[in-house]
């Protein structure tokens, strides 16, 4: 594999970032830093500041003061929308820069980064619309002497903790909704992928967001992330990451009973019935496990296929997996990029070994791609898997598909639901009754019929069971960052209690 991109070159030296609080860059100074190596090239690409707890306290104080000043929460939805639309334009103007740094830090293909940046701009535009659509309820049925109004108010200061798999896109699935609601934010990106979150702070400032509304404190999870979940000055935490750390975040948030939104892991089923268009289904299943090298919370990692077509479907998958273009993430032709870190790479390969030990049959893949630099794993199909094997139960978070067969629809539903996670699911069939009848009984927050991993900001995301709490995006995503207040208004003369 050629490690050198035909179109984009690697940076001569790592780009240095300070951090961004109160609408301004703050220089690293004497703080420690962390250098990020590009997963596809093993070359230093960014240098990130490891902020201290004091930096976090300062950022929270700024966000609090800004919230209380009502400079953002007190203006109209129309004014908030103007800023969000300018932010979308700012993203588009810097799209190529954002895509470049996103690919360098994550190892994802540049074509994918470009599509995500464009998609993210659209989410800010949706957020602008949402800011103007917020409304409450009124109750005219409380009798002639009482009238009720229900309003929504921004929750306050939100702590936003994001992961490394979709640093910019996940940010876009949160920020516009928090801002539409009128909240102020302190964000902490994954220490592996902070660049585009920091750039976003600059874009928002340039778009006219008042200083102190959006603040970024870079640093590690155990230090800054943990401190955020514990922080008494934060009203709500939005955490996206592993289920283990999510549980930890929930417990740590109990200090001031802050609201907690969690989007966690998944082991999402792809249910393929014999009457599906098998070629389409195989293409969708391959995309669903290869997109972002299987490092998506909604990767379709458990294939549940009807036994009568299992052999034919397996052949289709093996053929398609072999044709997925693996390579330099900076090459626009690449479809499957690098694995985010050496430790994660080892974890994925360990799961593949575990599958073989448990009796799964390696139908294809199973090993690293020989390359001069970076780390890549061939798309892997583990066949003859049963639902109790570790490879069918745990989130592998790599291009590794576990194939399980079923004979009846009841069995398919049972297999799909027999897992601690409930983030996403797909069903493939040409029978609409069967499709809806099945999807209605699968415990998952984001589902698809005859497609996978697609959608738009209108549609809510989030999980059932151990995949999380709460919903992001859509109008549900704005409400997530608001408190509900009931206002009771007395009408007419009071009937006195004291006679
Ligand atoms: O996630 P972490 P990691 C899953 C996936 C992956 C595994 C581990 O299975 O293999 O998680 O990935 C911050 N308090 N997902 O280790 O540690 C951290 O700095 C508060 C699924 O990268 O959960 C980062 O910003 N925050 C997932 C964020 O949490 C803490 C996406 C996520 O990191 C913290 C990523 C702490 N104590 C991984 N410790 C998805 N749902 O898409 C760390 N963090």
């Amino acid at each position: 594999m050629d490690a050198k991109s035909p179109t984009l070159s690697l940076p001569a030296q790592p780009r240095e970032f300070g951090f961004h609080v109160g609408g301004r860059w703050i220089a690293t100074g004497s703080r420690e830093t962390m250098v990020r190596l590009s997963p596809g090239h093993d070359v230093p690409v960014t240098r990130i500041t490891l902020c201290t707890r004091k930096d976090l306290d300062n950022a929270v104080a700024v966000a609090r003061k800004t919230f209380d000043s009502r400079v953002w929460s007190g203006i109209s939805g129309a004014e908030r929308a103007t800023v969000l639309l300018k932010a979308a334009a700012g993203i588009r103007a810097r799209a190529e820069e954002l895509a470049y740094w996103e690919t360098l830090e994550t190892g994802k293909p540049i074509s994918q980064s470009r599509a995500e940046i464009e998609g993210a701009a659209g989410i800010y535009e949706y957020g602008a619309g949402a800011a103007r659509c917020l409304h409450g309820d009124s109750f005219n049925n409380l009798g002639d002497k009482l009238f009720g109004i229900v309003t929504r108010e921004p929750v306050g200061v939100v702590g936003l903790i994001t992961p490394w798999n979709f640093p910019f896109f996940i940010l876009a699935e949160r920020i516009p909704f928090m801002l539409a609601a009128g909240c102020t934010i302190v964000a902490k990106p994954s220490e592996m992928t902070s660049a585009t979150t920091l750039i976003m702070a600059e874009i928002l400032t340039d778009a006219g967001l008042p200083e102190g509304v959006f603040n970024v404190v870079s640093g590690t999870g155990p230090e800054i992330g943990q401190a955020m979940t514990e922080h008494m000055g934060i009203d709500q935490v939005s955490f996206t990451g592993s289920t283990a750390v999510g549980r930890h975040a929930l417990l740590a948030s109990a200090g001031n009973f802050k609201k907690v939104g969690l989007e966690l892991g998944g082991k999402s089923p792809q249910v393929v019935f014999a009457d599906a268009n098998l070629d389409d289904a195989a293409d969708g299943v391959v995309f669903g496990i290869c997109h972002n090298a299987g490092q998506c919370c909604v990767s379709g990692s458990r294939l549940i296929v009807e036994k009568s077509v299992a052999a034919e479907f397996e052949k289709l998958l093996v053929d398609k997996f072999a044709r997925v273009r693996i390579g330099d993430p900076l090459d626009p032709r690449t479809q499957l990029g690098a694995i985010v870190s050496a430790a994660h790479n080892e974890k994925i390969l360990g799961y593949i070994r575990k599958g073989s030990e448990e009796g799964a049959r390696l139908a294809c893949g199973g090993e690293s791609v020989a390359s001069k630099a970076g780390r890549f794993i061939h798309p892997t199909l583990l066949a003859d898997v049963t639902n109790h094997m570790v490879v069918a139960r745990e989130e592998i978070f790599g291009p590794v598909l576990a194939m399980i067969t079923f004979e009846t629809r009841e069995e398919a539903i049972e297999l799909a639901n027999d897992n601690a996670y409930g983030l996403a699911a797909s069903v493939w069939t040409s029978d609409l009754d069967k499709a809806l009848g099945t999807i209605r009984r699968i415990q998952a927050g984001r589902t698809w019929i005859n497609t996978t991993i697609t959608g738009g900001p209108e549609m809510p995301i989030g999980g059932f069971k151990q995949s999380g709490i709460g919903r992001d995006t859509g109008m549900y995503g704005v409400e997530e960052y608001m408190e509900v207040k009931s206002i009771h208004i007395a009408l007419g003369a009071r009937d006195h209690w004291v006679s």
Side-chain angles (χ1 to χ4, degrees):
M1 195 171 42
D2 184 8
K4 224 172 157 351
S5 163
T7 51
L8 295 167
S9 50
L10 291 161
Q13 58 196 39
R15 180 170 172 179
E16 294 224 20
F17 288 92
F19 56 111
H20 208 276
V21 172
R24 283 186 296 281
W25 287 107
I26 298 178
T28 303
S30 58
R31 295 169 188 83
E32 286 179 45
T33 60
M34 200 170 134
V35 172
R36 174 71 177 152
L37 301 185
S38 162
H41 318 90
D42 288 330
V43 164
V45 287
T46 49
R47 183 187 296 278
I48 299 298
T49 309
L50 295 180
C51 291
T52 63
R53 205 175 166 136
K54 207 167 145 224
D55 295 325
L56 174 68
D57 288 343
N58 176 48
V60 172
V62 167
R64 166 66 52 203
K65 195 166 166 233
T66 308
F67 182 76
D68 291 345
S69 76
R70 299 188 65 78
V71 65
W72 184 246
S73 62
I75 63 174
S76 68
E79 287 167 294
R80 289 208 280 270
T82 303
V83 173
L84 286 164
L85 289 173
K86 282 191 187 152
I91 291 169
R92 290 209 168 89
R94 295 178 70 172
E96 199 46 33
E97 176 195 0
L98 286 162
Y100 177 70
W101 294 103
E102 191 78 336
T103 281
L104 286 181
E105 284 197 334
T106 61
K108 67 176 66 188
I110 187 78
S111 60
Q112 188 190 319
S113 290
R114 287 175 177 145
E116 284 171 19
I117 304 302
E118 174 61 28
I123 309 180
Y124 283 82
E125 284 160 352
Y126 177 88
R132 302 197 66 167
C133 292
L134 290 174
H135 64 89
D137 258 324
S138 61
F139 288 84
N140 201 22
N141 60 347
L142 304 178
D144 279 348
K145 304 199 84 172
L146 196 61
F147 185 66
I149 304 176
V150 178
T151 59
R152 289 196 168 79
E153 295 179 3
V155 79
V157 177
V158 184
L160 173 57
I161 302 173
T162 52
W164 46 261
N165 55 346
F166 291 90
F168 198 73
F169 200 76
I170 288 178
L171 201 67
E173 289 175 331
R174 313 283 186 277
I175 293 177
F177 303 86
M178 296 168 179
L179 293 184
C183 294
T184 59
I185 304 166
V186 179
K188 191 212 80 71
S190 164
E191 48 274 46
M192 289 193 272
T193 55
S194 302
T196 53
T197 303
L198 287 158
I199 296 171
M200 192 62 218
E202 194 172 74
I203 291 174
L204 284 164
T205 303
D206 292 346
L209 188 73
E211 60 186 48
V213 177
F214 182 70
N215 309 279
V216 184
V217 177
S218 50
T220 69
E223 177 72 20
I224 300 299
Q226 177 76 27
M228 272 172 91
T229 56
E230 289 168 359
H231 210 289
M232 301 300 273
I234 289 179
D235 302 303
Q236 178 163 359
V237 157
S238 163
F239 172 87
T240 308
S242 62
T243 293
V245 177
R247 183 172 286 116
H248 204 67
L250 188 60
L251 294 171
S253 298
N256 62 338
F257 293 95
K258 55 176 72 67
K259 281 181 84 177
V260 183
L262 303 172
E263 192 187 340
L264 308 174
K267 191 73 186 179
S268 300
Q270 293 270 10
V271 180
V272 179
F273 287 98
D275 64 3
N277 177 327
L278 293 184
D279 196 42
D280 279 2
D283 185 73
V285 169
V286 166
F287 170 70
I289 194 65
C290 290
H291 184 56
N292 213 43
Q295 303 166 120
C296 311
C297 52
V298 292
S299 292
S301 53
R302 249 181 338 138
L303 168 63
I304 300 174
V305 58
E306 196 158 347
K307 202 169 190 169
S308 59
V309 294
E312 183 187 350
F313 199 68
E314 182 182 322
K315 273 204 202 91
L316 283 170
L317 290 178
V318 170
D319 172 61
K320 287 181 195 294
F321 276 144
R323 289 190 279 137
V324 173
R325 293 186 300 275
I326 310 172
D328 181 350
L330 287 173
D331 182 338
R333 291 163 303 184
T334 295
Q335 291 177 297
L336 195 145
I339 302 299
V340 74
S341 67
H344 191 52
N345 197 59
E346 268 319 297
K347 188 173 145 189
I348 297 169
L349 294 173
Y351 271 116
I352 297 172
R353 285 193 296 274
K354 180 78 186 161
S356 298
E357 283 161 28
E358 287 182 303
R361 173 171 54 84
L362 195 61
C364 68
E367 56 193 15
S368 298
V369 176
S371 73
K372 280 180 256 159
R375 60 202 80 81
F376 303 80
I377 294 178
H378 282 289
T380 299
L381 178 60
L382 296 172
D384 302 341
V385 172
T386 59
N387 214 31
H388 65 262
M389 290 183 186
V390 169
V391 289
R393 306 202 76 76
E394 295 183 12
E395 184 177 50
I396 298 175
F397 228 54
V400 182
L401 181 65
M403 178 167 158
I404 302 158
T405 60
F406 70 90
E407 288 184 75
T408 65
R409 186 154 75 99
E410 281 306 309
E411 198 192 344
I413 294 168
E414 218 170 279
L415 286 165
N417 287 336
D418 179 21
N419 194 275
Y421 295 116
L423 195 61
S426 293
V427 172
W428 301 81
T429 170
S430 53
D431 178 339
L432 185 60
D433 266 6
K434 204 190 275 184
L436 266 177
T438 305
I439 216 81
R440 285 165 78 164
R441 290 177 55 197
I442 293 182
Q443 299 154 346
R446 194 167 8 164
T447 69
W448 295 278
I449 292 173
N450 292 329
T451 187
T452 198
I453 315 189
T454 184
E458 294 80 358
M459 302 290 277
I461 59 175
F464 285 24
K465 302 195 283 189
Q466 293 185 33
S467 287
I469 299 175
R471 292 294 178 271
D472 280 293
T473 66
M475 291 310 286
Y476 308 86
V478 191
E479 288 167 17
E480 187 76 18
Y481 301 102
M482 305 198 87
E483 292 282 14
V484 170
K485 178 179 279 181
S486 59
I487 304 173
H488 303 78
I489 304 168
L491 300 174
R494 180 173 174 84
D495 293 332
H496 278 227
W497 185 64
V498 181
S499 49

